[in-house]
């Protein structure tokens, strides 16, 4: 592709071009490109493929590589060469016409590439090295497969992912917005989205209280000194908003909830008999993200973590981790997620805590996972500096994996804050602290939910469960009476009128309303409704009480009507 670009646009300067999950991209310093330009580039690529040019590997010295790069005036390649630490430097040639710095390997000839299985997808702007102070480049995204069928399958997947995009559905279904007037990365939950959030929170709180957690609410700001003690100002400052001065003291918007929960623990002296102590909070935090990295609900600047912390003794770690795994499974299954990828991350090179406690904690995590019967992969050295961790990715309807749940053992904060307990010998000891989140953040999890269901939420989760639709305005009074009865029974309902019935039905389908209760003269006369389900089709005529009973039962049982 890069060869094709430079054949068509000789002044274009090449930069870097890596493979990515479903294809590749290459950045060029050149004038802006259009979709028409992409078609020209693809045609030139096809010609290069058809010529069946050999790809030849050559090893050169660093000085020789630099000499050749300077000769063809490719300044970005000079910088790339400086970042390559390995020797010798490898260059790949396409025939005798074009070459590039590359580690390889490559196919033997361009003819080995199936041109019908290659597609250029899009072009976007990208700063060199991701630095806003450096030049804006043109990034061409492409994808390449072994055969045409694989390409078609990928393009179908891509279209389906586009149809499920939570940013578009959030707008179409009026669930949330991010408004320029307020600032990037700050989420407004609209009434329908807020109802779903309420259901998520209510489900979360109920399960946590059943499993022995105490709920907390803590401030959104604190004195900056708190974040010095916690270490966030040393290790996390670039992700924190600037401090604010109040009455000659510096305050900080919280980027984490953990220090607050430590302070709640620290308010009194605990005995070994008190453990385990479990506290949980839906705590909103604020983190500075570059505007270019913001992405719908997936990357924001203010979000609510479903945070919890467990303070326990060393010999309680395994049982507590197993309890968290059970709780995680229960919550995720409520929302339809039952396929997971699990990773266990072990001690990195730089870490706090002695070997013995690391070994004990890591073994406890392994034992809990094995007790649970979950298969997992070891991420050797991938733990946080303060303790080993378990990360869990959920799989959605398209087979995509999303990082949500995390369980982390922490030896650092208890030490930094000097928290202790009194053991059976009346000696002061330091407890173990476990951080854990199941959903990750409500915003990101909501985005995943939208895309998993393509906005077509199940009955129990749908913000509007039913619409009552009159055939004509003559039935509107009865429809309003039906609506009042449904609302009084706890069913989320709307009465819609003012259009012909076919359009009312189309609008309800477009808004993905699970149930429609149609009312005509016959239904008014018999005090009934004719019910239609998005998931089960025509359900026929039924009394109001039957409709209410069946809707409530289906909602409680997480089933369709």
């Amino acid at each position: 592709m890069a060869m094709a670009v430079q054949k068509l646009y000789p002044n274009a300067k090449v930069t870097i071009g890596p493979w990515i999950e479903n294809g590749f991209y290459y950045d060029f310093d050149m004038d802006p490109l259009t979709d028409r330009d992409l078609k020209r580039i693809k045609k030139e690529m096809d010609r290069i493929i058809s010529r069946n040019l050999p790809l030849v590997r050559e090893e050169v010295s660093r000085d020789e590589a630099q000499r050749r790069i300077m000769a063809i005036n490719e300044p970005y390649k000079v910088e790339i060469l400086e970042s390559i630490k390995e020797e010798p430097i490898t260059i790949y040639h396409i025939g005798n016409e074009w070459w590039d710095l590359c580690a390889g390997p490559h196919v033997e000839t361009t003819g080995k590439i199936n041109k019908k299985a290659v597609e250029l997808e899009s072009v976007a702007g990208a700063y060199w090295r991701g630095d806003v102070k450096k030049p804006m480049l043109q990034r061409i995204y492409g994808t390449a497969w072994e055969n045409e069928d694989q390409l078609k399958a990928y393009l179908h997947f891509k279209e389906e992912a586009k149809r499920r995009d939570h940013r578009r559905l959030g707008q179409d279904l009026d669930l949330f917005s991010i408004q320029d007037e307020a600032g990037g990365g700050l989420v407004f939950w609209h009434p329908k989205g807020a109802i779903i959030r309420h259901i998520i929170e209510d489900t979360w709180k109920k399960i946590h209280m059943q499993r022995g957690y105490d709920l907390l609410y803590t401030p959104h700001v604190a004195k900056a000194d708190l974040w010095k003690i916690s270490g966030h100002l040393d290790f996390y400052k670039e992700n924190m908003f600037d401090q604010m001065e109040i009455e000659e003291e510096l305050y900080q918007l919280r980027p984490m909830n953990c220090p607050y929960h430590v302070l709640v623990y620290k308010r009194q002296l605990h005995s070994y008999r008190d453990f385990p102590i479990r506290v949980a909070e839906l705590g909103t935090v604020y983190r500075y993200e570059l505007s270019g990295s913001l992405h719908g609900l997936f990357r924001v600047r203010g979000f609510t973590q479903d945070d919890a912390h467990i303070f326990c003794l060393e010999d309680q770690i395994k049982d507590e981790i197993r309890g968290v795994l059970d709780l995680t499974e229960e919550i995720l299954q409520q929302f339809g997620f039952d396929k997971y990828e699990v990773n266990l991350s072990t001690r990195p090179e730089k870490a706090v805590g002695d070997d013995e406690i690391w070994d004990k904690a890591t073994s406890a995590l392994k034992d809990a996972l094995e007790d649970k019967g979950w298969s997992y992969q070891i991420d050797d050295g991938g733990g946080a500096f303060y303790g080993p961790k378990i990360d869990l990715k959920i799989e959605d309807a398209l087979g995509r994996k999303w990082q949500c749940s995390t369980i982390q053992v922490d030896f650092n904060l208890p030490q930094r804050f000097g928290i202790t307990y009194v053991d059976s010998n009346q000696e002061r000891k330091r407890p173990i602290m476990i951080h854990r989140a199941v959903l990750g953040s409500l915003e990101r999890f909501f985005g995943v939910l939208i895309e998993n269901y393509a906005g077509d939420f199940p009955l129990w989760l749908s913000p509007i469960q039913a619409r009552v639709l009159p055939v004509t305005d003559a039935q509107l009074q009865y429809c309003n009476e039906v609506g009042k009865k449904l609302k009084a029974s706890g069913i989320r309902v709307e009465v819609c009128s003012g259009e012909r019935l076919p359009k009312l039905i189309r609008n309800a389908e477009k808004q993905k309303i699970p149930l429609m209760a149609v009312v005509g003269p016959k239904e008014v006369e018999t005090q009934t409704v004719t019910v239609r389900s998005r998931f089960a089709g025509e359900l026929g005529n039924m009394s109001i009480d039957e409709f209410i009973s069946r809707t409530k039962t289906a909602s409680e049982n997480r089933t369709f009507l």
Side-chain angles (χ1 to χ4, degrees):
M1 185 185 77
M3 178 178 173
V5 168
Q6 288 200 311
K7 273 186 170 294
L8 296 170
Y9 308 94
N11 293 326
K13 302 298 181 189
V14 293
T15 65
I16 196 164
W19 60 269
I20 52 179
E21 186 178 2
N22 289 308
F24 59 91
Y25 71 80
Y26 211 121
D27 290 347
F28 302 90
D29 190 348
M30 62 187 299
D31 291 336
L33 293 166
T34 65
D35 288 342
R36 182 181 294 178
D37 294 318
L38 291 188
K39 289 176 183 174
R40 287 186 68 207
I41 295 166
K42 177 60 168 66
K43 281 183 181 178
E44 184 60 33
M45 290 169 68
D46 290 348
R47 280 193 285 271
I48 295 169
I49 290 170
S50 297
R51 291 172 63 195
N52 199 26
L53 297 170
L55 279 85
V56 180
R57 183 177 189 268
E58 181 187 10
E59 294 182 359
V60 298
S61 68
R62 188 175 295 276
D63 288 344
E64 175 62 13
Q66 182 160 1
R67 185 190 68 75
R68 293 191 193 183
I69 292 167
M70 299 295 282
I72 59 173
N73 188 26
E74 290 284 7
Y76 296 95
K77 288 294 178 184
V78 173
E79 192 172 327
I80 292 169
L81 179 64
E82 289 169 356
S83 68
I84 298 173
K85 305 303 179 189
E86 298 83 10
E87 298 276 359
I89 304 300
T90 56
I91 286 174
Y92 276 83
H93 299 262
I94 302 179
N96 295 316
E97 301 175 29
W98 198 85
W99 61 269
D100 196 4
L101 292 172
C102 199
H106 292 279
V107 291
E108 295 167 356
T109 68
T110 60
K112 297 279 188 182
I113 299 166
N114 184 342
K115 59 189 175 188
K116 291 185 177 178
V118 177
E119 179 154 313
L120 298 187
E121 300 181 274
S122 61
V123 63
Y127 290 108
W128 171 235
R129 298 296 197 189
D131 187 339
V132 295
K133 295 175 183 175
K134 292 183 178 177
M136 172 66 78
L137 308 173
Q138 294 295 293
R139 175 171 294 177
I140 301 175
Y141 286 97
T143 189
W145 301 82
E146 286 184 304
N147 57 60
E148 209 172 345
D149 288 341
Q150 288 178 344
L151 175 60
K152 285 178 180 176
Y154 165 69
L155 294 176
H156 174 74
F157 169 87
K158 191 178 167 188
E159 279 303 308
E160 183 60 20
K162 186 178 177 182
R163 185 180 75 85
R164 292 168 178 264
D165 191 313
H166 74 279
R167 294 166 297 180
R168 181 182 63 79
L169 287 170
Q171 184 174 349
D172 292 349
L173 302 177
D174 197 21
L175 300 172
F176 72 91
S177 62
I178 296 170
Q179 302 187 32
D180 290 339
E181 293 92 331
L186 302 172
V187 181
F188 288 74
W189 294 74
H190 297 185
K192 289 177 182 177
I195 288 172
I196 298 175
R197 174 171 175 154
H198 165 72
I199 295 167
I200 294 170
E201 290 184 353
D202 196 46
T203 302
W204 186 91
K205 288 177 182 176
K206 199 172 291 183
I207 292 172
H208 277 75
M209 288 190 287
Q210 287 169 353
R211 289 185 173 269
Y213 286 79
D214 292 316
L215 299 182
L216 298 179
Y217 293 94
T218 58
H220 289 228
V221 297
K223 289 180 180 179
D225 285 350
L226 183 67
W227 309 106
K228 287 181 185 175
I229 298 170
S230 71
H232 287 97
L233 276 176
D234 294 327
F235 297 107
Y236 206 73
K237 190 172 184 180
E238 69 275 10
N239 294 104
M240 297 167 67
F241 279 98
D242 288 343
Q243 295 171 2
M244 60 189 93
E245 187 174 324
I246 300 172
E247 295 180 349
E248 298 183 354
E249 285 194 283
L250 292 175
Y251 281 74
Q252 178 76 56
L253 279 171
R254 65 174 171 187
M256 305 277 189
N257 301 305
C258 340
Y260 291 116
H261 294 190
V262 174
L263 291 184
V264 171
Y265 172 92
K266 199 177 180 181
R267 77 195 188 282
Q268 65 184 62
L269 183 61
H270 292 280
S271 160
Y272 70 96
R273 296 187 184 90
D274 298 333
F275 294 103
I277 296 169
R278 308 182 190 103
V279 292
E281 176 181 16
L282 293 167
T284 302
V285 298
Y286 303 89
R287 298 181 188 173
Y288 172 67
E289 300 280 359
L290 290 171
S291 58
S293 69
L294 300 175
H295 180 80
L297 296 176
F298 293 158
R299 184 66 73 91
V300 293
R301 287 174 172 162
F303 56 93
T304 302
Q305 288 184 311
D306 68 314
D307 231 343
H309 294 91
I310 300 169
F311 300 91
C312 65
L313 309 178
E314 284 183 24
D315 60 4
Q316 294 174 332
I317 296 175
K318 176 190 166 184
D319 289 341
E320 288 306 303
I321 296 298
R322 174 60 198 267
V324 172
L325 295 178
D326 290 342
L327 177 145
T328 298
E329 183 176 46
E330 182 178 359
I331 291 178
L332 293 178
Q333 284 186 346
Q334 296 273 332
F335 297 98
F337 299 108
D338 56 11
K339 292 180 182 176
Y340 320 120
E341 177 188 299
V342 183
N343 292 287
L344 171 61
S345 302
T346 60
R347 181 173 185 161
E349 269 189 49
K350 294 182 180 178
V352 298
D354 59 41
D355 290 346
E356 185 182 352
I357 189 63
W358 268 89
D359 291 344
K360 190 174 285 190
T362 304
S363 294
L365 295 181
K366 285 181 181 176
D367 290 346
L369 284 168
E370 283 159 12
D371 267 9
K372 186 69 181 165
W374 283 359
S375 60
Y376 61 93
Q377 296 175 328
I378 298 283
D379 179 9
D380 197 24
F385 75 92
Y386 51 77
K389 63 176 181 169
I390 294 171
D391 287 320
L392 186 147
K393 295 179 182 178
I394 58 176
E395 187 174 312
D396 72 5
L398 287 185
R400 298 173 297 181
K401 293 184 174 69
W402 304 90
Q403 172 67 52
C404 285
S405 311
T406 186
I407 308 164
Q408 303 176 348
V409 180
D410 187 353
F411 314 127
N412 181 51
L413 282 187
Q415 184 178 331
R416 280 181 168 272
F417 280 91
I419 62 173
T420 59
Y421 68 92
V422 178
D423 71 2
S424 57
N425 297 319
Q426 299 302 303
E427 294 179 2
R428 293 287 185 99
K429 294 285 179 66
R430 207 171 303 291
I432 299 296
M433 183 177 181
I434 299 171
H435 304 253
R436 46 116 302 211
V438 176
L439 307 179
S441 81
L442 295 187
E443 286 74 8
R444 191 167 188 274
F445 185 72
F446 185 38
V448 173
L449 268 183
I450 294 170
E451 298 207 358
N452 181 62
Y453 289 113
D456 216 347
F457 299 108
L459 179 67
W460 74 277
L461 197 54
S462 183
I464 304 298
Q465 295 175 305
R467 268 191 186 173
V468 184
L469 309 176
V471 174
T472 69
D473 284 352
Q475 293 86 45
L476 189 53
Q477 183 178 343
Y478 175 69
C479 287
N480 288 328
E481 291 169 7
V482 171
K484 285 180 184 176
K485 286 183 181 178
L486 295 176
K487 277 185 182 175
S489 300
I491 295 168
R492 300 184 292 276
V493 63
E494 290 179 337
V495 177
C496 289
S497 62
E499 303 279 0
R500 292 169 60 84
L501 183 62
K503 188 166 184 182
L504 291 175
I505 291 172
R506 282 197 305 275
N507 289 343
E509 288 176 342
K510 193 175 177 182
Q511 286 295 303
K512 305 183 189 297
I513 308 296
L515 298 171
M516 285 176 266
V518 177
V519 173
K522 182 183 175 184
E523 283 78 14
V524 175
E525 184 182 337
T526 57
Q527 296 290 285
T528 60
V529 290
T530 296
V531 180
R532 180 177 183 178
S533 165
R534 273 184 65 76
F535 305 107
E538 301 292 344
L539 301 180
N541 190 262
M542 59 184 77
S543 68
I544 308 305
D545 288 342
E546 182 187 358
F547 181 45
I548 289 171
S549 174
R550 289 179 64 177
T551 302
K552 289 183 72 174
T553 300
S555 188
E556 287 164 6
N557 295 334
R558 309 286 202 265
T559 60
F560 303 129
L561 188 60

